[in-house]
Amino acid sequence: MSDLAWLTLAPILTPLGFGLGLLWPSPRPVRVGLALAGAALTLAFSLGLLVATADGTVLTSALGGWRAPFGIVMTADRLAAWVSVLAAVSALLAVWQAAADPDPARERHHLLALMQFLFAGVQMSFLTGDLFNLFVAFEVMLVASYALAVLGSTREQLREGFRYIVMNLAASALLVVACGLAYGVLGTLNFAHLAQRSAQLGPNTTVTAVGVLLLIVFAAKGALFPLGFWLPGTYPALPPAVGTFFAAVLTKVGVYALLRVFTTVFTGEAGVTNTLLLLFGTVTMLYGALGAASQREWRRILSFLVVSSVGYLAFGLGVGTGEAVRASVGYFAVSVLVTTALFAVAAVAERASGSRLVRVRGMLDFLPLLAGCFLLCALTVAGLPPSGGFVAKYALVRAGLAQGSLLAVLGVVSALLSSLITLYAMLKVWRGFFWGQHPAWLPVYRVSPSLHVAAYTASALVAGLTVFAGPIFARADATAAELRDNARYIRGVLGDAPVVIPAPPTGEEAEK
């Protein structure tokens, strides 16, 4: 075990510890300071993981000293470290937003503590090396998210929160069934051991059925069409800071699970699952873009764009080639950062105009820098050059055309059409909110400069996607290569020696 194996636990235990600390009654400046410190420290540990895995090292921490596959292990490879950093960045900006935009009623009911528990669950989902432990991580994450979804008890929150909770409970129940079937067929739930055993078993209908069941579960978590009907109504009902993190990261947990399971674990019979992913991705891209173009409220428009971005990721996974997986890993970063930035921009815009609608007009005169940030994010989310979104979408389209199947080509057409519709939706926001003459009778409210900082910082990171596109895609290339050859991951978790299942205890041993 590496000396740095403890790093796999640090991004989970840090927010968990700070969350418990935040339950203790204390003045607001102390609580805000603790929440920011917890998020910043989590980011520091995630960056440590990124550096430690840069050379292809797979870090594994066996809880209680029980080595894989018999015990619970936390594992970090290039992919896990990558998504851990992205989630930590979004978490820090969301906490900053919450700190800059006081909400006494929700904070009295532990808003900041619940956000830390949510971060812990998300990090655990990314760093677990076990299918059942992934279910546990989902539940940790979802219990916190359920509380955050209904905290405030507005009518809209309760209505949308109920739908969100029922959908996720149903998906969790299916995940338990899938875990049971996987264990029944393969005798293990450890990702590396599942990969080894499924390869030994060869083509098997039951394993394919388990894979399809897992795909449906993760598609529901990731909000792929038609299982993502709950998302566009839920996210706009949340407080802005919470909505930022939900939109940027929670659907990506489902996408990460798809990436992990269908590139590392079940790789033998990819035909059925890849076809389903292509189909889901193709429809989801278009559904999300059309939904965005049909809405008139800031966060409803952006929520549909979240759905569309998940479609692009599913499309890349469904294409399944090395280039497509590389493009998906790169687009993952684009999607998380641009969604964080757009929701942070929307939070400022809603505060300044006092309205959730985009048809206010003339705000360019009052918020010129925010308008610049929005324009940058709009170019990125629509995939226009020279933004990072263009680089990622171009790579996805090229991979789809190179694969050449009818469904892949249809996916490419859907991707291009969705980008055009997304551009139209973004221009509609620009024209409705920033452009034109502001009506004299409409007030413009002062917004805390701290809230602007979150939007500017997130937008600067989006600009960084263009400036550092080379290193980012080089990392994505290495990650995709590692995912397509899972031998290093299996060896990193299970070691070089063959796994020997201990003999059952004898009668005398069992009595002891």
Side-chain angles (χ1 to χ4, degrees):
M1 186 183 296
S2 167
D3 293 339
L4 295 174
W6 60 272
L7 267 176
T8 57
L9 288 169
I12 304 166
L13 296 180
T14 302
L16 195 60
F18 276 88
L20 290 171
L22 282 164
L23 293 175
W24 195 263
S26 55
R28 186 174 192 272
V30 175
R31 280 185 279 119
V32 167
L34 281 174
L36 285 170
L41 207 52
T42 303
L43 176 58
F45 286 131
S46 295
L47 287 170
L49 276 179
L50 194 71
V51 173
T53 57
D55 61 353
T57 299
V58 178
L59 296 176
T60 301
S61 176
L63 302 189
W66 289 88
R67 62 183 289 268
F70 307 110
I72 296 171
V73 292
M74 292 296 154
T75 307
D77 60 351
R78 284 191 176 107
L79 176 65
W82 181 239
V83 295
S84 172
V85 168
L86 292 171
V89 168
S90 183
L92 181 57
L93 289 169
V95 172
W96 184 275
Q97 260 187 275
D101 189 16
D103 188 341
R106 289 188 172 92
E107 286 180 20
R108 200 164 45 247
H109 293 92
H110 305 298
L111 172 75
L112 296 175
L114 288 169
M115 287 178 76
Q116 296 289 327
F117 295 142
L118 179 65
F119 303 156
V122 167
Q123 292 288 347
M124 190 174 166
S125 302
F126 292 150
L127 295 170
T128 184
D130 180 279
L131 191 56
F132 185 75
N133 208 33
L134 179 63
F135 162 75
V136 175
F138 276 166
E139 293 313 297
V140 172
M141 177 181 79
L142 290 172
V143 166
S145 73
Y146 296 155
L148 287 166
V150 298
L151 192 61
S153 302
T154 64
R155 181 178 296 179
E156 183 186 13
Q157 270 188 296
L158 294 176
R159 185 183 65 243
E160 300 299 338
F162 177 75
R163 196 156 49 170
Y164 170 73
I165 291 169
V166 169
M167 184 66 199
N168 277 287
L169 284 176
S172 295
L174 268 183
L175 182 53
V176 173
V177 173
C179 287
L181 287 173
Y183 192 80
V185 177
L186 298 166
T188 183
L189 290 175
N190 179 275
F191 287 148
H193 203 206
L194 277 171
Q196 206 174 51
R197 296 296 294 271
S198 63
Q200 288 167 353
L201 198 61
N204 184 288
T205 309
T206 313
V207 174
T208 304
V210 172
V212 170
L213 195 56
L214 286 171
L215 187 148
I216 292 169
V217 171
F218 299 142
K221 304 277 187 192
L224 286 172
F225 183 87
L227 303 168
F229 61 87
W230 51 270
L231 190 151
T234 303
Y235 288 2
L238 297 166
V242 176
T244 298
F245 186 77
F246 269 55
V249 176
L250 284 207
T251 51
K252 306 305 183 300
V253 177
V255 175
Y256 167 80
L258 288 170
L259 256 172
R260 175 62 71 201
V261 167
F262 295 111
T263 58
T264 304
V265 181
F266 298 126
T267 56
E269 286 186 279
V272 176
T273 50
N274 280 4
T275 302
L276 285 173
L277 282 169
L278 263 177
L279 193 61
F280 283 157
T282 300
V283 180
T284 305
M285 285 186 279
L286 209 50
Y287 164 72
L290 287 170
S294 69
Q295 299 298 311
R296 294 187 302 170
E297 293 183 8
W298 268 100
R299 285 187 287 158
R300 282 192 180 273
I301 294 170
L302 301 182
S303 295
F304 273 106
L305 292 182
V306 172
V307 175
S308 185
S309 73
V310 173
Y312 281 93
L313 290 164
F315 166 70
L317 275 174
V319 171
T321 61
E323 189 183 359
V325 175
R326 167 181 171 268
S328 295
V329 173
Y331 188 73
F332 201 106
V334 173
S335 180
V336 170
L337 294 180
V338 80
T339 304
T340 304
L342 278 170
F343 271 77
V345 167
V348 178
E350 286 180 351
R351 286 283 180 215
S353 64
S355 169
R356 292 168 67 168
L357 297 173
V358 295
R359 303 194 67 172
V360 177
R361 299 188 67 78
M363 294 299 282
L364 178 61
D365 294 336
F366 306 98
L367 302 166
L369 193 50
L370 192 79
C373 291
F374 174 78
L375 206 53
L376 170 69
C377 294
L379 291 177
T380 304
V381 78
L384 293 185
S387 68
F390 168 74
V391 178
K393 285 190 176 180
Y394 174 72
L396 280 170
V397 167
R398 200 174 64 171
L401 290 175
Q403 202 253 30
S405 70
L406 177 62
L407 205 49
V409 173
L410 281 175
V412 168
V413 172
S414 172
L416 295 174
L417 200 54
S418 304
S419 291
L420 282 175
I421 298 170
T422 300
L423 180 63
Y424 166 74
M426 291 289 96
L427 289 176
K428 199 172 77 165
V429 175
W430 173 266
R431 196 179 59 181
F433 191 81
F434 292 107
W435 202 245
Q437 185 69 39
H438 185 75
W441 55 271
L442 268 180
V444 177
Y445 300 95
R446 184 184 177 278
V447 181
S448 161
S450 302
L451 198 56
H452 284 271
V453 169
Y456 298 158
T457 306
S459 301
L461 292 172
V462 172
L465 290 170
T466 305
V467 178
F468 299 106
I472 289 171
F473 272 82
R475 170 91 191 190
D477 202 16
T479 304
E482 192 174 89
L483 289 172
R484 290 184 59 77
D485 178 14
N486 60 10
R488 183 190 285 268
Y489 180 86
I490 294 172
R491 196 167 54 250
V493 176
L494 300 179
D496 292 321
V499 174
V500 178
I501 299 175
T506 62
E508 288 182 1
E509 287 172 337
E511 286 176 7
K512 290 177 184 176

